[in-house]
């Protein structure tokens, strides 16, 4: 998927404004960290791996106007910027992993001159971007082995090129299967309330000439029952040590339905989406967003004024409902605690 979701221009973070899709493909330049922070908050740039890249580049933005000559001051600025970006959205751990990586690098190089320290941070942010591009392709290759000719696939939210540097996790698997010459069709859930499935996944898959049919979220059960769904792929925002995975609200519902209908359910996510500091999904912070996302459709109100609203942006799928987790190292299967540690820590 050749979309350039995010890139560093030298003095700005250039992103596709995803709130304008599918009607307009608009790029915006975030020239300061405040603009980027709001772009993250408002989902102009979104999806866990893309947020990891945005956070790393955000640190570079935060250093643009640094005029001091002391590296200790520069490191202090890095810490402040990391703290600020860390308050934008709470669930996707990729964002925090990138910030920790940038901050640790700054602290470890505090003895270097300012210019060198800046160059080291610049190289690290670019490495985070390049790594995401590479791992998405590796996940795609592993996951594509699960797609057979003639299969019907289902997905929720957008875990494609728009959610990563440029290729995708769950949709990356579909791109790799297509590149391998396989024929299959996809049901994409629209993904209320912000319609990432309808606006972004349908757009991406159509652009890549993959046979996609859009359905409302509440049609998933009947489609599984009547249309013969063979396999489900979703992304993830944070995966605990036991494999429990937070992803867009509605993913858990899909996993429960998948078990009832005997449909294999796979999560596709890179190492940067794992949080091995937490034991289970109960510890994952779930973002709650503003009620207006639920009480209106575009600018049109669709609910009585003042109605109480619960609007969690993510839910947690227990690993017991998964057939496996597709990573850049291969497919991790149960028992998850043992196998996640074996695969991910062996690499460390
Ligand atoms: O609120 P969003 O649009 O940032 O949520 C994104 C998702 O839930 C994606 O499925 C997830 O980040 C995986 S992206 C490869």
């Amino acid at each position: 998927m050749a979309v350039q979701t995010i890139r560093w221009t030298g003095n700005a973070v250039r992103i596709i404004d995803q709130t304008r899709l599918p009607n307009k493909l608009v790029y915006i330049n975030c020239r300061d960290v405040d603009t980027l922070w709001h772009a993250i908050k408002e989902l102009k740039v979104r999806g866990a791996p893309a947020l990891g890249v945005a956070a790393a580049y955000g640190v570079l933005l935060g250093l643009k106007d640094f005029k001091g000559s002391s590296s200790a001051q520069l490191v202090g600025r890095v810490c402040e910027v990391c703290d600020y970006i860390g308050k934008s959205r709470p669930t996707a751990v990729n964002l925090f992993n990138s910030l920790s990586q940038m901050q640790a690098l700054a602290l470890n190089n505090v003895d270097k001159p300012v210019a060198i320290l800046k160059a080291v941070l610049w190289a690290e942010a670019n490495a985070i971007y390049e790594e995401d591009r590479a791992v998405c392709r590796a996940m795609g290759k592993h996951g594509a082995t699960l797609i057979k000719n003639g299969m019907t696939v289902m997905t929720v939210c957008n875990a494609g090129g728009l959610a990563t540097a440029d290729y995708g996790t769950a949709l990356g698997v579909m791109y790799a299967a297509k590149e391998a010459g396989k024929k299959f069709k996809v049901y994409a859930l629209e993904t209320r309330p912000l319609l990432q499935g309808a606006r972004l996944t349908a757009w991406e898959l159509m652009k890549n000439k993959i046979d996609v049919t859009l359905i409302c979220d509440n049609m998933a059960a009947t489609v599984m029952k009547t249309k013969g769904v063979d396999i489900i792929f979703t992304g993830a925002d944070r995966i605990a040590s036991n494999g429990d995975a937070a992803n867009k609200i509605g993913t858990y519902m899909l996993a429960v339905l998948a078990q009832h209908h005997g449909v294999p359910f796979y999560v596709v996510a890179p190492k940067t989406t794992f949080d091995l500091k937490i034991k289970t999904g109960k510890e994952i912070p779930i973002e709650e967003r503003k009620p207006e996302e639920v009480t209106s459709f575009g600018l049109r109100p669709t609910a009585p004024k003042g109605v109480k609203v619960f609007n969690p942006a993510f839910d947690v799928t227990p690993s017991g409902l998964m057939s496996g987790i597709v990573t850049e190292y291969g497919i991790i299967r149960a028992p998850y605690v043992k196998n996640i540690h074996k695969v991910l820590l062996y690499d460390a």
Side-chain angles (χ1 to χ4, degrees):
M1 173 72 185
V3 281
Q4 204 144 42
T5 301
I6 180 164
R7 76 181 171 90
W8 176 246
T9 66
N11 75 345
V13 182
R14 189 169 155 85
I15 56 168
I16 293 178
D17 180 350
Q18 298 190 29
T19 60
R20 306 290 301 276
L21 285 172
N23 300 323
K24 280 213 158 71
L25 178 58
V26 176
Y27 293 87
I28 49 175
N29 287 320
C30 303
R31 296 182 201 281
D32 55 68
V33 72
D34 221 32
T35 307
L36 182 71
W37 192 96
H38 284 97
I40 292 173
K41 186 82 188 161
E42 291 155 22
L43 273 55
K44 291 180 178 170
V45 57
R46 48 146 299 278
L51 291 178
V53 176
Y57 284 146
V59 172
L60 303 188
L61 281 183
L63 301 183
K64 256 176 65 178
D65 60 354
F66 179 80
K67 299 277 185 291
S69 56
S70 132
S71 289
Q73 280 173 345
L74 185 75
V75 173
R77 173 70 69 87
V78 169
C79 295
E80 275 169 29
V81 174
C82 288
D83 201 47
Y84 177 57
I85 298 173
K87 293 192 171 78
S88 55
R89 293 189 74 193
T91 304
V93 78
N94 306 58
L95 181 139
F96 299 94
N97 285 339
S98 285
L99 295 176
S100 306
Q101 205 172 318
M102 296 294 279
Q103 194 166 333
L105 194 78
L107 288 164
N108 289 337
N109 286 281
V110 66
D111 55 331
K112 305 273 183 353
V114 166
I116 301 285
L117 187 45
K118 278 188 173 176
V120 165
L121 289 166
W122 179 85
E124 189 73 358
N126 274 328
I128 288 171
Y129 168 82
E130 290 299 345
E131 187 194 346
D132 184 61
R133 301 188 65 218
V135 298
C136 283
R137 280 158 180 83
M139 286 184 286
K141 280 214 172 89
H142 293 302
T145 60
L146 299 164
I147 297 184
K148 312 281 176 240
N149 252 327
M151 269 190 167
T152 298
V153 178
M154 188 175 262
T155 192
V156 60
C157 192
N158 171 266
L162 291 166
T164 61
D166 71 350
Y167 192 73
T169 59
L171 297 196
V173 166
M174 299 172 209
Y175 298 142
K178 178 159 194 283
E179 284 157 26
K182 297 180 187 176
K183 298 235 180 321
F184 54 92
K185 57 183 183 192
V186 181
Y187 281 99
L189 270 63
E190 65 171 353
T191 318
R192 275 282 289 154
L194 295 181
L195 303 176
Q196 287 92 331
R199 294 186 301 105
L200 310 177
T201 292
W203 181 80
E204 267 200 57
L205 293 178
M206 286 175 77
K207 209 167 148 55
N208 281 279
K209 304 203 177 342
I210 290 180
D211 178 350
V212 57
T213 303
L214 180 63
I215 58 169
C216 300
D217 302 331
N218 51 9
M219 297 169 187
T222 202
V223 169
M224 279 187 212
K225 191 169 171 184
T226 61
K227 301 283 183 187
V229 175
D230 297 297
I231 193 162
I232 297 172
F233 293 104
T234 76
D237 284 79
R238 191 185 293 235
I239 305 178
S241 303
N242 70 344
D244 292 353
N247 191 50
K248 180 52 56 194
I249 190 75
T251 305
Y252 170 47
M253 168 189 79
L254 205 55
V256 171
L257 292 176
Q259 188 178 59
H260 181 79
H261 292 95
V263 180
F265 180 97
Y266 286 89
V267 168
V268 188
K271 183 180 177 176
T272 47
T273 301
F274 284 79
D275 182 355
L276 299 186
K277 292 192 290 304
I278 60 170
K279 286 202 171 89
T280 76
K282 284 199 184 117
E283 293 167 73
I284 299 177
I286 299 294
E287 177 182 12
E288 277 187 42
R289 294 184 61 87
K290 56 184 183 187
E292 290 76 10
E293 292 179 355
V294 176
T295 57
S296 54
F297 200 79
L299 293 175
R300 190 164 58 88
T302 53
K305 216 171 168 190
V307 67
K308 278 197 283 180
V309 171
F310 175 48
N311 184 17
F314 301 93
D315 57 26
V316 175
T317 299
S319 55
L321 293 176
M322 299 170 192
S323 310
I325 305 174
V326 180
T327 71
E328 62 269 45
Y329 307 106
I331 303 170
I332 302 178
R333 297 187 190 271
Y336 288 104
V337 176
K338 181 166 153 248
N339 290 339
I340 285 174
H341 284 75
K342 198 163 101 191
V343 172
L344 299 188
L345 296 179
Y346 177 73
D347 171 68

